[in-house]
Amino acid sequence: MSTIPIDDPADPRIAAYAAMRERDIVGREGRFIVEGEVTLRVLLSGAARFTPESLLLSHERAAPLSDVLAALPGSVPVYTASKAVMSAIAGFPIHRGVMAVGLRGAEIPLALPPAPAPVLVVGLVGLTNHDNVGGLFRNAAAFGADGVILDRATCDPLYRKAIRVSAGAALIVPFVRLEAEAMLHFAEANDLVPLAFSPRGEHVLADLEAPSRAMLLLGSEGPGLSPDMMARARTVRIPMASGFDSLNVATAGALALHHLAMRARDNPHPLSRP
Amino acid sequence: MSTIPIDDPADPRIAAYAAMRERDIVGREGRFIVEGEVTLRVLLSGAARFTPESLLLSHERAAPLSDVLAALPGSVPVYTASKAVMSAIAGFPIHRGVMAVGLRGAEIPLALPPAPAPVLVVGLVGLTNHDNVGGLFRNAAAFGADGVILDRATCDPLYRKAIRVSAGAALIVPFVRLEAEAMLHFAEANDLVPLAFSPRGEHVLADLEAPSRAMLLLGSEGPGLSPDMMARARTVRIPMASGFDSLNVATAGALALHHLAMRARDNPHPLSRP
């Protein structure tokens, strides 16, 4: 595995890493940025759904990563630079010295096993905070969700910060874009029971007889899910202490995913995946 | 309620708001900063354990807050300024236009009801991330924990960002500082069963017969709790999907707090508080 040293921040070969914060906003034409060793290792693992286009490492970080670099296809260039040059490329101080560009590819539809196999899908509506979306992907991966559906208002799981907060889960858990109405149609077509989480939900999460095929619906912390979505789903609430009924939406998602995962364990279906 | 207009960023009356990021690091000599309407309302509510020293609002934010300003003791000055002047005071762009300085006061020992009344305390060991500490306070408040104990390495819940992430819970939930050894002594002296959370824990959270008086022990995501602490506690794990056993520590805390709160609901003790 040979590396390609970069001395000039304006070198066209590393143009995809330039002006990083500005590009976070305007987008990267089918590319995304991975930062840090944890997420890079996910991108280069068999679990990731995406392929790397190139890597950019500080000189001293290449050696500790030699195990994954050795397994990298020869077609993926590995650039190395000083942290000063990396910072000049990115436009802000780079401390970790580990970056990669990944390729989005075409959206892959969610492929779910047919009923009665158990399925757990998360539907996100109007989540505009990258920390929350990243956190939800991390929790979805931790509890083995089959996929995430996002409406148009929900922010991009492949946004730089969302990938980092997800600990790389945004590269693993399948996701597609569908509007709220289409989410409910998807649930119906795939025999998924829609469970809508809201402080005004009818059922208490801890008492919920979890369906073996479910779609967890989560809205933003302010407006929440629409009355129409609530009316067409089984509504669930998480009881909280009086006077402080405030839970982060990614945390609420973790509680829901954990409950359903534990119920699935306690009531294994004969077709459950091992 | 009269407000005091400020035009000069160097006005000594608002010196406590100056050079905000630098003071985040060096500390504020018994003071802390609250930002944003949600947390300000908590500070000015009866639920907060701390008193405000002053408020600094942008001109346009004073009117919508007139309800809480009217209830403020006359001894607490309310300064108003343009956002440009506020930004010059703080040293970075101020968007929300709502700030306050609170007074720490002396540390108040945790006062717990005697056994057999139910008690839930959280012990944090080595948590150096303000988002995690803020998130844990938010979750502790949401599930009615009686208090939080922090070791010296754990960061300050009254750090500006920790208060914000906690949605103000850091101003409500009682906390004290104790080192790991003293935490375990505190548990013993107060009849609290120490529950140590770790990926290598013996018991599965969902199966845990929750003690009515418990201390949840949480360590940092990397090193976790010490072998000595683990040996002296009931150890608990949260099962995760194979290949991605990564959960944020504040999220793990939420799962634990929710489980114990629900068990307390299902097994109400005659002395339970209403």
Side-chain angles (χ1 to χ4, degrees):
Chain A
M1 177 74 245
S2 66
T3 58
I4 303 161
I6 300 285
D7 297 315
D8 176 5
D11 191 315
R13 291 175 294 180
I14 43 76
Y17 298 89
M20 197 159 284
R21 287 185 176 148
E22 292 75 6
R23 299 261 206 103
D24 283 346
I25 295 162
V26 299
R28 295 192 161 84
E29 295 169 353
R31 295 179 173 79
F32 60 87
I33 296 279
V34 162
E35 300 168 303
E37 181 171 342
V38 168
T39 43
L40 178 68
R41 286 186 177 273
V42 173
L43 176 65
L44 303 184
S45 75
R49 305 166 62 228
F50 304 97
T51 53
E53 184 180 60
S54 70
L55 276 57
L56 174 59
L57 309 174
S58 65
H59 297 306
E60 66 273 27
R61 298 302 296 271
L65 285 164
S66 57
D67 57 324
V68 287
L69 298 186
L72 207 59
S75 57
V76 179
V78 179
Y79 302 109
T80 59
S82 68
K83 284 191 180 169
V85 169
M86 288 182 79
S87 301
I89 295 166
F92 59 90
I94 295 293
H95 301 294
R96 298 200 253 193
V98 175
M99 300 198 289
V101 169
L103 296 170
R104 283 175 184 269
E107 185 176 276
I108 308 162
L110 285 192
L112 301 178
V119 164
L120 182 49
V121 169
V122 179
L124 305 182
V125 180
L127 295 197
T128 55
N129 178 301
H130 294 104
D131 290 273
N132 288 341
V133 170
L136 276 160
F137 270 82
R138 185 172 177 178
N139 298 336
F143 296 115
D146 297 275
V148 178
I149 305 181
L150 314 110
D151 78 341
R152 199 179 305 126
T154 294
C155 60
D156 182 10
L158 298 182
Y159 186 87
R160 187 163 59 93
K161 190 180 184 193
I163 294 175
R164 198 174 69 224
V165 172
S166 82
L171 308 175
I172 298 175
V173 180
F175 62 87
V176 295
R177 293 268 178 193
L178 289 177
E179 291 313 295
E181 185 63 33
M183 260 185 224
L184 291 169
H185 284 153
F186 181 92
E188 199 177 335
N190 288 278
D191 295 307
L192 307 177
V193 177
L195 303 173
F197 282 76
S198 161
R200 301 174 305 284
E202 184 189 352
H203 303 273
V204 168
L205 174 64
D207 303 331
L208 187 70
E209 276 305 324
S212 76
R213 295 173 68 90
M215 178 185 287
L216 298 181
L217 296 168
L218 296 160
S220 65
E221 287 169 44
L225 299 168
S226 71
D228 177 59
M229 266 192 131
M230 296 278 286
R232 294 162 68 183
R234 198 176 298 178
T235 62
V236 186
R237 72 177 187 277
I238 298 169
M240 281 175 255
S242 62
F244 199 86
D245 55 346
S246 162
L247 210 54
N248 169 274
V249 64
T251 307
L255 293 167
L257 287 158
H258 177 253
H259 179 78
L260 293 179
M262 287 297 109
R263 285 296 162 108
R265 178 203 63 167
D266 294 340
N267 302 294
H269 186 277
L271 290 184
S272 288
R273 285 147 298 158
Chain B
M1 178 73 246
S2 66
T3 58
I4 304 161
I6 299 284
D7 296 315
D8 176 7
D11 191 315
R13 291 175 294 180
I14 43 75
Y17 298 89
M20 197 160 283
R21 287 186 176 147
E22 292 75 4
R23 300 262 204 99
D24 283 347
I25 294 162
V26 299
R28 294 192 162 83
E29 296 169 354
R31 293 178 174 80
F32 59 87
I33 296 279
V34 162
E35 300 168 305
E37 182 171 341
V38 168
T39 44
L40 177 68
R41 287 186 177 274
V42 173
L43 176 64
L44 303 184
S45 75
R49 304 166 63 227
F50 304 97
T51 53
E53 183 180 60
S54 71
L55 276 57
L56 175 58
L57 309 174
S58 64
H59 297 306
E60 65 273 27
R61 297 302 296 270
L65 285 163
S66 57
D67 59 323
V68 288
L69 299 186
L72 207 58
S75 59
V76 179
V78 179
Y79 302 109
T80 59
S82 67
K83 284 192 180 169
V85 169
M86 287 182 79
S87 301
I89 295 166
F92 60 90
I94 295 293
H95 302 294
R96 298 200 253 192
V98 175
M99 300 198 289
V101 169
L103 297 169
R104 283 174 184 267
E107 185 177 277
I108 308 161
L110 285 192
L112 302 177
V119 164
L120 182 50
V121 169
V122 179
L124 304 183
V125 180
L127 296 198
T128 55
N129 179 300
H130 293 105
D131 289 274
N132 288 341
V133 170
L136 276 160
F137 270 82
R138 185 172 179 178
N139 298 336
F143 296 115
D146 297 273
V148 178
I149 306 181
L150 315 110
D151 77 342
R152 198 180 305 125
T154 294
C155 60
D156 182 11
L158 298 182
Y159 187 87
R160 188 164 59 95
K161 190 180 185 192
I163 295 176
R164 199 173 68 224
V165 172
S166 80
L171 308 176
I172 298 175
V173 181
F175 62 87
V176 295
R177 293 267 178 195
L178 288 178
E179 291 314 294
E181 185 64 32
M183 260 185 224
L184 292 169
H185 285 152
F186 182 92
E188 198 176 336
N190 288 277
D191 295 309
L192 307 177
V193 177
L195 302 172
F197 283 75
S198 162
R200 302 174 305 285
E202 184 188 352
H203 304 273
V204 168
L205 174 65
D207 303 331
L208 187 70
E209 275 305 325
S212 77
R213 294 173 69 90
M215 179 186 284
L216 299 181
L217 297 169
L218 296 160
S220 64
E221 288 169 43
L225 298 167
S226 71
D228 178 58
M229 267 193 130
M230 297 277 287
R232 294 163 66 183
R234 198 176 298 177
T235 62
V236 186
R237 71 177 187 278
I238 298 168
M240 281 175 256
S242 63
F244 199 85
D245 55 347
S246 161
L247 210 54
N248 169 273
V249 64
T251 307
L255 293 167
L257 286 158
H258 177 254
H259 180 78
L260 293 180
M262 288 297 110
R263 284 297 161 106
R265 178 203 63 166
D266 294 339
N267 303 295
H269 186 276
L271 290 184
S272 288
R273 283 148 299 159

